[in-house]
Amino acid sequence: MVPGFAVSGQTHPDEADPVRTFPGQVAQNKLPKWKGFNLLDFFSPDPAKGRKATTEEQFKWMSDWGFDFVRIPMAYPAYVKFDRSRNITPEEVYQIDEQAVDRIDKLVTAAHKHKIHVSLNLHRAPGYCVNAGFNEPYNLWTDQKALDAFCFHWNMWAKRYKGITSKRISFDLLNEPSMRADMNDQHSKRSSVPGDVYRKVAIAASEAIRKENPGHLIIADGNDVGTSVIPELADLDIAQSCRGYHPGIISHYKAPWAMKDPDNAPEPKWPGQVGDQYLSRAMLEKFYKPWIELVGKGVGVHCGECGCWNKTPHDVFLAWFNDVLDILSSNGIGFSLWEFAGDFGVLDSRREDVAYEDWHGHKLDRKLLTLLMKY
């Protein structure tokens, strides 16, 4: 069974393992130490370009391998009806496609059948996405119409799962928030979301959710595209989600969407000198210290995304990732690999330096799977 937890502040007796803390801290994570995968079935804003559906058999594999968590990053246009030959209008954002919602519900139900916790996430919300590729009609951080639509969507999902316990489902408000000069230009200037603005948005969405069920578990991704603790939310009954992509030269080596000059990126090493910096476990300890301290303040923490694109040498990836997972796990923080099947995944990652194992017609990265199961 997925371990229980309490949203009111008390810790469930079955919950987390003993944790290693920084000096002066004694803490246990309010969230279970879930571990699992991101499923990209509804990640694309265009359903015609969506991934191959996750099968029930694949949920069985996850469960058999000891995983108990999936995060489903959704693009809201994947489940609304509008004329896709032109840009969406603010009015069309409200036009829910019930058949598409039913398909998402089918995925949730399959996960629950195998006792896997589901975290629903708006990867693209009305007025914001970390990625470009779909024209937003407004800005979530500055426009009330966008915030109203954001709350409408979360209220819909909360109604859908009104009677489902937080042991089985949680709501991850918004993927990797940041403030961007142009919401529809991925490379426009990016900065932190002002804390008071993030707080306003988080409170509005949490009220829309908890109107249906005051016990619903809510998670907020860290500021600065998931990397920074949000102190302005620490007093709210909202957990926070970090990332396992630091440093980017390891996790996103040669990724064209993440690097300005991917062809000339320095060869990654772990540990070792890469470009103008020395990469080591010590830099990871420093990076995660604020998140571990957040656990110490009684805020639930989970790593909603982690992993490495397929161009990083496999041995470097595994050495780095072992340190990432060890730091998270030894501090009671669970994790979710981006992704299950695909370039970052345990299946069909298309790496050129892996001896894959044939697994029911898929190519399994057994070394990566073994590492994930270790924690």
Side-chain angles (χ1 to χ4, degrees):
M1 285 292 291
V2 174
F5 86 104
V7 294
S8 59
Q10 46 295 37
T11 303
H12 191 281
D14 297 335
E15 204 163 271
D17 296 336
V19 300
R20 186 195 70 194
T21 56
F22 282 90
Q25 267 188 277
V26 177
Q28 187 166 312
N29 197 347
K30 272 177 67 176
L31 289 185
K33 201 168 79 172
W34 290 310
K35 67 176 185 177
F37 305 93
N38 282 260
L39 304 180
L40 274 55
D41 301 45
F42 302 97
F43 173 69
S44 172
D46 183 355
K49 297 177 181 175
R51 296 294 190 92
K52 193 173 180 182
T54 304
T55 66
E56 185 164 327
E57 183 182 33
Q58 289 172 329
F59 283 116
K60 184 179 186 302
W61 299 343
M62 294 178 214
S63 180
D64 288 348
W65 288 333
F67 298 98
D68 58 5
F69 178 95
V70 292
R71 181 174 180 262
I72 303 176
M74 304 179 295
Y76 78 88
Y79 62 84
V80 297
K81 293 178 181 174
F82 64 101
D83 180 354
R84 295 179 184 273
S85 68
R86 54 163 175 75
N87 292 338
I88 198 168
T89 67
E91 293 72 33
E92 289 171 327
V93 169
Y94 289 87
Q95 295 175 183
I96 302 298
D97 181 345
E98 292 298 337
Q99 288 184 319
V101 171
D102 286 344
R103 287 193 291 273
I104 294 171
D105 190 49
K106 185 179 177 183
L107 187 67
V108 173
T109 301
H112 285 165
K113 181 178 177 182
H114 292 277
K115 307 223 176 339
I116 293 173
H117 179 93
V118 174
S119 184
L120 285 182
N121 164 250
L122 279 182
H123 187 275
R124 177 175 290 279
Y128 179 79
C129 184
V130 69
N131 304 121
F134 181 89
N135 192 272
E136 289 300 326
Y138 36 36
N139 185 322
L140 176 60
W141 308 116
T142 60
D143 300 333
Q144 185 62 42
K145 278 190 175 182
L147 180 56
D148 290 345
F150 183 59
C151 292
F152 167 83
H153 279 257
W154 275 123
N155 180 257
M156 180 203 72
W157 288 115
K159 279 179 181 168
R160 188 96 183 181
Y161 299 109
K162 187 183 182 88
I164 307 297
T165 170
S166 290
K167 294 178 184 179
R168 301 177 72 195
I169 199 159
S170 56
F171 300 124
D172 181 348
L173 297 177
L174 180 67
N175 182 71
E176 299 180 359
S178 68
M179 185 66 81
R180 205 161 55 215
D182 180 349
M183 201 50 65
N184 294 307
D185 177 2
Q186 188 160 336
H187 299 292
S188 66
K189 187 179 178 183
R190 189 190 306 246
S191 58
S192 302
V193 178
D196 61 327
V197 174
Y198 199 162
R199 182 181 176 89
K200 174 188 172 183
V201 169
I203 288 175
S206 64
E207 287 175 350
I209 290 169
R210 289 181 176 147
K211 191 186 333 182
E212 308 305 327
N213 179 346
H216 273 316
L217 170 60
I218 297 171
I219 299 171
D221 280 12
N223 210 332
D224 305 304
V225 295
T227 63
S228 304
V229 163
I230 321 136
E232 295 83 2
L233 304 190
D235 65 315
L236 304 176
D237 189 14
I238 296 176
Q240 296 191 27
S241 177
C242 63
R243 290 294 177 268
Y245 295 135
H246 183 72
I249 186 59
I250 298 285
S251 65
H252 288 72
Y253 176 58
K254 290 193 173 181
W257 70 91
M259 291 188 163
K260 289 181 179 175
D261 187 15
D263 292 338
N264 293 309
E267 181 82 13
K269 301 171 191 167
W270 192 267
Q273 188 72 31
V274 179
D276 60 357
Q277 57 182 335
Y278 186 81
L279 310 185
S280 67
R281 182 181 173 110
M283 74 185 300
L284 293 178
E285 296 276 7
K286 181 179 179 182
F287 177 78
Y288 287 111
K289 185 176 180 181
W291 291 98
I292 294 162
E293 290 174 343
L294 193 64
V295 172
K297 293 172 182 172
V299 177
V301 174
H302 186 261
C303 181
E305 290 184 25
C306 55
C308 191
W309 198 42
N310 60 13
K311 298 298 184 287
T312 302
H314 199 237
D315 59 339
V316 174
F317 163 38
L318 295 182
W320 162 79
F321 205 37
N322 183 68
D323 280 341
V324 171
L325 296 181
D326 185 58
I327 291 168
L328 291 170
S329 187
S330 60
N331 286 285
I333 299 172
F335 62 87
S336 181
L337 183 74
W338 185 280
E339 54 202 311
F340 182 62
D343 289 358
F344 283 72
V346 292
L347 297 178
D348 307 325
S349 62
R350 302 190 298 174
R351 294 180 182 276
E352 296 178 354
D353 57 350
V354 172
Y356 288 105
E357 177 182 322
D358 181 66
W359 182 265
H360 303 276
H362 294 273
K363 292 184 174 181
L364 172 64
D365 182 346
R366 176 63 72 175
K367 284 186 177 180
L368 174 57
L369 177 60
T370 299
L371 177 61
L372 293 168
M373 289 171 68
K374 172 182 170 184
Y375 291 102

